[in-house]
Amino acid sequence: MRPDTPADHTDHTAEAERLLRTAAQYPEDAEQLLLHAAAHLELAGDRPQATTLYDRLLAGAPDDPALVRALKAANLWEYGHEAEARAILEGIRTTAPRSPSAWVIAAEALESHDELPLSHEVFSEGVELLIVQGEEIPYDCRPLLLGRHRVRRLLALPHDVWDILADDAHSSASPISLDELHDPKRLWSLGSSDPEELSAEIARLRAELGTYRAALSRPFPVAVLHWPSTELTELLAAYPTLTSEYPSHEEHLSTIESSLRELAASGTPNLGIVTATVPSYEAFAASEGASPGDASLLPQYATTLAARGRAVGWPPRGDCWCGSGVAYEQCHGGGSAAAE
């Protein structure tokens, strides 16, 4: 639902500048041009400047202010402004806009940060507001139904009437069933919910191409799982059987560092750390048909996160991996040969 941007070797900063110049020349088309420019700035990694563009659009009374606010919130969350992003998303829910795109962007922003139950609520609110059962589904509302179906599959929820409508809407355009397209194991292994990417993967599997694993695979580190303090507290409250794995947060952090040092000393290359969240872990457990309280699931979860590119290299060169904000050498890396 974002403005389309090319996937090739585009110089996104230069393209954003070109679109800004064009918007100045053609003010009647400025809104769409600025939205595209903001998308390019996000891809270029210049998220603060993208936020500036979204603010500029909002100051000018855009045609779809809810969509612009949703895009701004999603962008803010990506560079550390979670609280502000959540406030904006909650405001969108409160105002209940008639813009399908705004609902989709808001729900997908939550989904991308493993807030699956909340994402499901937002998708459902948009669907119930904008789609009438028994009437033809507006084309721009289909992503709402499909996104809701995807999140419900990740949450291992049973089909309901909206999922049946989503299946019907999808089957008219694709020979691949929606349940297969949104198979949680496939979403986790591929690390993407893009329908084109998923359809391509399924087609490769159906054709039994022996090289599909090589096409999808990418190097990833031997990764150790890190639970931030708040997440570990929530995890143990929900699944007390894991207390034997994590007697305390301090011991958990110490075990991470000692394990990585032992691996480094044994000659294991490409070591990393993946940060866990309870919603993400629960979704992974559901995709595996397993209980989150099963400790044997934890290494698989770490490996899957690493395969999805979530690992950060160890030892770090700046702040400590534990989130203390202190340089690694003065924190867990103190006296570590690996740090040197």
Side-chain angles (χ1 to χ4, degrees):
M1 300 301 293
R2 286 180 174 275
D4 292 333
T5 50
D8 55 9
H9 302 294
T10 301
D11 184 336
H12 294 291
T13 299
E15 184 62 16
E17 291 173 352
R18 185 189 69 79
L19 289 166
L20 290 171
R21 291 193 298 271
T22 305
Q25 294 175 334
Y26 301 96
E28 66 277 11
D29 298 320
E31 182 172 334
Q32 287 303 313
L33 291 167
L34 292 177
L35 282 175
H36 283 276
H40 279 287
L41 288 169
E42 289 190 39
L43 291 170
D46 193 352
R47 293 190 176 275
Q49 187 59 33
T51 295
T52 300
L53 277 188
Y54 291 133
D55 287 336
R56 174 178 167 184
L57 282 163
L58 290 169
D63 293 336
D64 192 347
L67 171 60
V68 180
R69 288 199 299 272
L71 289 167
K72 176 183 174 181
N75 179 56
L76 283 168
W77 202 333
E78 291 299 326
Y79 71 107
H81 297 271
E82 177 182 345
E84 184 178 355
R86 286 182 181 274
I88 294 172
L89 295 177
E90 188 59 35
I92 291 171
R93 297 177 68 184
T94 301
T95 56
R98 306 295 301 183
S99 166
S101 299
W103 287 102
V104 171
I105 292 297
E108 288 182 346
L110 292 161
E111 180 187 358
S112 68
H113 290 277
D114 297 322
E115 296 280 359
L116 296 181
L118 193 53
S119 174
H120 176 248
E121 289 180 19
V122 174
F123 270 125
S124 296
E125 289 170 12
V127 164
E128 292 167 4
L129 177 69
L130 300 175
I131 301 176
V132 178
Q133 293 185 32
E135 297 185 5
E136 184 177 356
I137 301 170
Y139 184 78
D140 58 356
C141 288
R142 290 191 175 193
L144 269 173
L145 275 176
L146 301 185
R148 182 179 183 274
H149 184 286
R150 180 181 64 249
V151 170
R152 287 176 64 82
R153 286 281 280 145
L154 288 170
L155 290 169
L157 297 175
H159 271 204
D160 62 8
V161 291
W162 294 116
D163 290 324
I164 295 171
L165 284 176
D167 284 329
D168 292 342
H170 175 76
S171 62
S172 63
S174 172
I176 300 171
S177 74
L178 204 55
D179 273 351
E180 188 176 3
L181 193 67
H182 292 163
D183 176 14
K185 289 187 178 180
R186 181 167 291 116
L187 292 173
W188 271 92
S189 64
L190 187 59
S192 170
S193 59
D194 185 284
E196 293 185 3
E197 293 183 21
L198 292 165
S199 296
E201 189 212 6
I202 294 169
R204 285 194 293 272
L205 292 172
R206 286 181 170 180
E208 296 183 347
L209 294 177
T211 58
Y212 86 96
R213 286 189 179 275
L216 293 177
S217 66
R218 52 193 175 198
F220 59 87
V222 175
V224 176
L225 200 60
H226 167 223
W227 293 93
S229 178
T230 54
E231 295 292 335
L232 186 60
T233 299
E234 182 180 345
L235 178 77
L236 297 181
Y239 309 104
T241 55
L242 297 178
T243 303
S244 59
E245 291 289 319
Y246 306 113
S248 71
H249 189 249
E250 292 73 17
E251 187 170 338
H252 169 52
L253 298 183
S254 178
T255 299
I256 291 173
E257 183 67 26
S258 61
S259 297
L260 288 167
R261 293 190 191 188
E262 289 175 8
L263 287 168
S266 68
T268 304
N270 203 19
L271 299 173
I273 296 174
V274 287
T275 299
T277 68
V278 174
S280 168
Y281 178 56
E282 290 175 333
F284 175 71
S287 75
E288 294 291 314
S291 167
D294 182 358
S296 66
L297 200 63
L298 295 167
Q300 300 175 49
Y301 174 54
T303 299
T304 303
L305 288 179
R308 293 178 63 188
R310 299 290 186 87
V312 296
W314 179 92
R317 297 186 179 277
D319 289 348
C320 189
W321 53 264
C322 70
S324 64
V326 178
Y328 174 65
E329 292 78 3
Q330 278 76 53
C331 193
H332 283 91
S336 169
E340 297 173 5

